[in-house]
Amino acid sequence: MTGSPHLSDPSDDASGRVRWRRFAVLTVPAVAVTAGLGIALAQGVLAASFAVSGQQFKVSASSLEGEGFAQYGSVDVNARQELIPVAVTAIREAKLHSLCQSVVTSLPVIGDISLNLTAGDKSPVEASNLFVDATQLSGDAVFSNIEIGRDASTLDKGPAEAQGMQDLFAQQADTVSITGLQQTAWATNAGTFKLSGLSMNMSKGKKECF
């Protein structure tokens, strides 16, 4: 999530918020990755607190409102001890409307099997200390009091644990609002995760949130 984001139609409104038409996830620079991955593993500076699977999953929501937003580059590790660069989005308190999560597994003989989870159609999904380790994120976003280019080790607006490695790029804001959220991720952590109207479905074939 370091480096230059793809921005279109950036503008400042009267309330001091920064509006991004298409909010693309920021990617960790190649130099930082090659120099820092080994150090991160040695120091335990990893995003997820568990070994991630070999499959990414997709998450979408009609809207997300969050208080205490932070974003920085980090790494996940899988069961083979391979390091995977990710962009960590951390939100202290979040509400998501019409949440969808999907993952597709390809099995011999059977073919594609899809797991779909939905929630928050009537009452929003609520999460505290939410961390998402993503490789792609898009939507229409509005931030309040955003700080772009802050040292990742000095972040203080997101969850208490939301800090990256020293000298790496990061950003944070008091609040964030994203409509039309779509993201691809390796892992999600949350202190609490309340899913109202939860529904889970397994089906044959490829059925994804987007």
Side-chain angles (χ1 to χ4, degrees):
M1 133 183 70
T2 56
S4 299
H6 294 291
L7 305 181
S8 60
D9 300 328
S11 63
D12 295 333
D13 63 21
S15 65
R17 297 181 178 181
V18 178
R19 189 180 298 274
W20 293 352
R21 177 61 183 170
R22 294 295 293 173
F23 177 59
V25 72
L26 308 179
T27 57
V28 184
V31 173
V33 173
T34 55
L37 289 185
I39 297 174
L41 184 59
Q43 295 180 345
V45 185
L46 299 174
S49 58
F50 50 85
V52 300
S53 74
Q55 294 179 279
Q56 294 192 75
F57 55 92
K58 293 185 175 182
V59 177
S60 66
S62 61
S63 65
L64 176 151
E65 294 87 36
E67 296 183 2
F69 166 87
Q71 194 177 59
Y72 54 95
S74 190
V75 289
D76 282 343
V77 61
N78 61 22
R80 297 183 178 85
Q81 297 300 302
E82 297 169 334
L83 300 178
I84 304 167
V86 294
V88 178
T89 297
I91 303 175
R92 193 172 62 250
E93 298 289 340
K95 292 184 178 181
L96 301 97
H97 297 264
S98 299
L99 175 70
C100 174
Q101 178 178 304
S102 65
V103 61
V104 178
T105 302
S106 295
L107 299 175
V109 182
I110 298 176
D112 291 335
I113 299 294
S114 297
L115 170 63
N116 289 77
L117 180 151
T118 59
D121 287 335
K122 294 183 179 179
S123 299
V125 170
E126 298 179 6
S128 64
N129 296 327
L130 176 67
F131 290 79
V132 180
D133 304 348
T135 56
Q136 177 274 332
L137 186 154
S138 64
D140 297 331
V142 179
F143 301 90
S144 63
N145 297 321
I146 191 168
E147 300 172 356
I148 301 174
R150 183 163 178 146
D151 188 295
S153 67
T154 69
L155 295 170
D156 58 8
K157 291 188 175 184
E161 299 83 4
Q163 291 186 338
M165 295 179 64
Q166 186 174 358
D167 297 328
L168 288 190
F169 176 97
Q171 59 183 2
Q172 64 177 4
D174 288 344
T175 65
V176 58
S177 176
I178 304 176
T179 57
L181 171 68
Q182 294 183 346
Q183 63 183 357
T184 305
W186 286 102
T188 296
N189 291 330
T192 61
F193 207 43
K194 180 181 178 181
L195 296 96
S196 61
L198 174 64
S199 175
M200 188 181 72
N201 178 262
M202 292 283 295
S203 59
K204 190 173 181 179
K206 194 171 186 178
K207 299 178 182 178
E208 299 182 285
C209 296
F210 60 91

